[in-house]
Amino acid sequence: MILLGVNIDHCATVRQARYRGYNQTAPGPVEPDPVALAVRAERAGADGITIHLREDRRHIQDHDVWRLKEVSTTRINLEMACTPWMIDFALKVKPHSVCIVPESREEISTEGGLDVVARRAQVKACVDAMNAAEIITSLFIDAEPAQIDLSAELGSPWIELHTGAWANAWHTPGRAEAFSRLHDGALRAHAAGLVVNAGHGINYDNVAQIRTLPHVHELNIGHTIISRALSTGIEEAVGEMKKRMNP
Ligand code: PXP
């Protein structure tokens, strides 16, 4: 069984489009509430909830993380930049896992994953701090041998393979090669002892291929589920994705 982490960031994106700058925790008409949506997604079968607290706070806000921590019945995966402030915040919140993602140009490797090779010292400090606090670290990386090998060497227990380049190549001749890179990367990571997750750009159609990746533990999926939920409701959107992941 492949597990499903539902990314609720884009529910917060819609809220911020109207209510940026409001006191969002005061009683009032602030909507939609990503935390309420997360609870419904969990009841519908989500195995975990992913939230990205960005440095620019463009969608998820600090209070969302704390409120989710209070009510979540599954696992919280906190996506974050590898900065001292975020590390400190994660140590206070104590999510089940943190996924380290690049937020600025300098942190990004060829396809758009975290450049662990270039940021070795910062990533190691983060992995060490999380390991000491018994929070699982996942590194969001491209399926490149150097990135995979170093992730394992630095002691990160999990990685998340960046599937964006493959998703973008879906309607192009480059798709087979992009998939084969992910395939080889998953094999290599598993052989190095890493738990292999995947995410970015996965949707109700292309999930049929990504679920055939070897050793995949969990898929983190956001945009397509939130989009479908607008017409079907989150329960059906989550249920349908779970069916397609594990037919
Ligand atoms: N995984 C990571 C690390 C992400 O940053 C995101 C959001 O971009 C996702 C998964 C989910 O991507 P999407 O919204 O395209 O499903």
Side-chain angles (χ1 to χ4, degrees):
M1 278 281 282
I2 302 173
L3 303 179
L4 171 63
V6 174
N7 181 316
I8 57 166
D9 292 350
H10 291 309
C11 178
T13 301
V14 175
R15 178 193 60 195
Q16 295 308 107
R18 170 63 61 205
Y19 291 108
R20 176 181 293 274
Y22 276 65
N23 177 1
Q24 298 182 350
T25 53
V30 178
E31 62 185 4
D33 180 6
V35 176
L37 193 81
V39 169
R40 286 173 56 191
E42 289 179 324
R43 288 198 197 118
D47 300 292
I49 300 295
T50 292
I51 38 174
H52 185 178
L53 185 67
R54 294 186 60 98
E55 297 274 287
D56 63 10
R57 303 299 195 271
R58 74 170 70 144
H59 36 55
I60 294 294
Q61 307 297 301
D62 302 44
H63 66 79
D64 293 321
V65 183
W66 289 111
R67 287 188 303 126
L68 183 63
K69 172 81 180 171
E70 260 176 47
V71 297
S72 169
T73 53
T74 59
R75 292 179 280 110
I76 298 177
N77 176 39
L78 177 65
E79 286 180 11
M80 58 183 233
C82 183
T83 63
W85 192 95
M86 282 306 315
I87 291 171
D88 193 47
F89 182 76
L91 293 174
K92 287 184 191 132
V93 172
K94 284 194 173 293
H96 177 263
S97 57
V98 295
C99 181
I100 307 302
V101 298
E103 286 190 14
S104 64
R105 271 274 121 218
E106 316 80 73
E107 300 172 305
I108 294 176
S109 65
T110 334
E111 304 283 359
L114 180 72
D115 195 342
V116 181
V117 175
R119 308 241 310 149
R120 180 186 180 122
Q122 292 102 315
V123 174
K124 180 166 176 10
C126 179
V127 172
D128 288 350
M130 296 305 147
N131 282 345
E134 297 184 342
I135 298 167
I136 294 170
T137 307
S138 180
L139 301 177
F140 182 53
I141 57 171
D142 295 331
E144 287 174 3
Q147 302 290 346
I148 294 166
D149 295 352
L150 188 56
S151 298
E153 191 189 321
L154 296 184
S156 179
W158 290 9
I159 57 162
E160 180 172 326
L161 290 176
H162 191 324
T163 50
W166 159 82
N168 288 340
W170 187 251
H171 293 291
T172 76
R175 164 177 157 189
E177 197 196 322
F179 186 73
S180 134
R181 227 176 293 134
L182 289 170
H183 184 275
D184 295 351
L187 289 177
R188 189 179 188 102
H190 178 75
L194 290 159
V195 168
V196 182
N197 298 330
H200 200 91
I202 299 171
N203 60 38
Y204 289 90
D205 293 329
N206 66 22
V207 71
Q209 183 171 49
I210 213 68
R211 72 177 175 78
T212 67
L213 270 185
H215 308 300
V216 166
H217 170 71
E218 183 163 66
L219 298 178
N220 282 307
I221 308 179
H223 186 271
T224 200
I225 291 178
I226 302 300
S227 303
R228 185 163 290 206
L230 290 174
S231 50
T232 68
I234 189 73
E235 288 79 5
E236 203 175 314
V238 168
E240 178 63 19
M241 183 55 82
K242 285 209 72 167
K243 256 190 264 165
R244 293 189 186 209
M245 286 165 54
N246 300 291

